[in-house]
Amino acid sequence: EIVMTQSPATLSVSPGARATLSCRASQNVSSNLAWSQQKLGQAPRLLIYSASTRATGIPARFSGSGSGTEFTLTISSLQSEDFAVYYCQQYNNWPLTFGGGTKVEIK
Amino acid sequence: EVQLVQSGAEVKKPGESLKISCKGSAYSFTSYWIGWVRQMPGKGLELMGLIYPGDSDTRYSPSFQGQVTISADKSINTAYLQWSSLKASDSAIYYCARVAFGSAYCDYWGQGTLVTVSS
């Protein structure tokens, strides 16, 4: 099973600042990596797939990069609605696995 | 608009059985895999398994094999997750999610079903 490790566990950021979230895979997952956002009390929402493609309706301030085992989600200028938990998911190998999440909180 | 609507919250006792549902709309239900994802209190996301409603092909993540049963009724665009004998450790929010066509990431999610198992 591929283990996905996200860091940091919690990221404290001021509104308007840039946030950089990391996700590492225990094996090569090529570009088969997605990012989702989960706000408190809500279902997850897809942000990014294929490591760098924004899902429909996702603002341009969200961007993804990386391939192989190292991936990054960048939020260029944090808005109030972006404070949430972010999960990466690999879909290169079965079973599909998620990272443990990064909580982005207000500094 | 693609929608996945899940059944309501459940409160059960240990040892009881349970079946929760996920109804898809505004897309071809038989052409996309549906996944079930567990989120235990305060924890992350775990994929339990997938089903392809078109032919009921089902895959289980190793941790969940034998613990739950995933099924679907394509005549009513509904997928199911069921337990034959619940344990307290099954208390969690369960999400269904559509798996993107030709890929394997979850592109649309249901609202979640809270399952509480307590004596």
Side-chain angles (χ1 to χ4, degrees):
Chain A
E1 174 174 316
I2 294 178
V3 176
M4 305 301 291
T5 303
Q6 291 188 241
S7 61
T10 303
L11 187 61
S12 297
V13 186
S14 301
R18 181 186 193 93
T20 303
L21 289 66
S22 295
C23 174
R24 174 177 291 177
S26 62
Q27 300 174 37
N28 183 1
V29 299
S30 186
S31 293
N32 296 313
L33 190 284
W35 291 93
S36 294
Q37 175 195 66
Q38 187 178 33
K39 297 180 182 179
L40 190 64
Q42 296 185 20
R45 175 178 72 144
L46 176 68
L47 297 176
I48 301 281
Y49 61 93
S50 297
S52 60
T53 304
R54 278 189 301 277
T56 303
I58 301 303
R61 64 180 181 271
F62 291 93
S63 62
S65 63
S67 66
T69 62
E70 301 282 345
F71 300 88
T72 300
L73 174 69
T74 301
I75 311 171
S76 60
S77 176
L78 270 156
Q79 307 298 302
S80 57
E81 62 267 29
D82 300 335
F83 292 96
V85 180
Y86 293 83
Y87 293 97
C88 60
Q89 180 218 335
Q90 69 80 20
Y91 51 96
N92 194 67
N93 287 62
W94 184 259
L96 313 180
T97 48
F98 292 90
T102 290
K103 180 181 181 180
V104 177
E105 64 176 24
I106 299 174
K107 187 174 183 180
Chain B
E1 178 194 359
V2 172
Q3 280 199 310
L4 295 170
V5 178
Q6 298 185 229
S7 50
E10 302 274 0
V11 179
K12 292 289 190 179
K13 290 181 168 37
E16 292 186 331
S17 63
L18 176 64
K19 191 174 190 178
I20 61 175
S21 66
C22 168
K23 184 175 177 63
S25 62
Y27 75 97
S28 176
F29 187 73
T30 54
S31 300
Y32 291 78
W33 291 80
I34 289 282
W36 284 97
V37 176
R38 182 176 77 175
Q39 187 167 41
M40 299 182 77
K43 302 298 184 183
L45 306 171
E46 303 170 271
L47 182 82
M48 304 172 72
L50 302 176
I51 188 164
Y52 189 73
D55 61 7
S56 291
D57 185 11
T58 308
R59 315 283 172 86
Y60 293 94
S61 296
S63 299
F64 295 94
Q65 180 81 46
Q67 307 304 306
V68 295
T69 301
I70 294 171
S71 60
D73 184 341
K74 62 184 179 182
S75 69
I76 55 172
N77 289 3
T78 301
Y80 301 96
L81 175 66
Q82 69 180 84
W83 296 259
S84 58
S85 180
L86 286 160
K87 303 183 286 288
S89 58
D90 292 318
S91 296
I93 298 174
Y94 294 88
Y95 294 100
C96 63
R98 192 185 80 164
V99 175
F101 189 83
S103 189
Y105 58 88
C106 300
D107 62 354
Y108 289 91
W109 293 72
Q111 83 277 19
T113 296
L114 175 63
V115 174
T116 303
V117 183
S118 174
S119 55

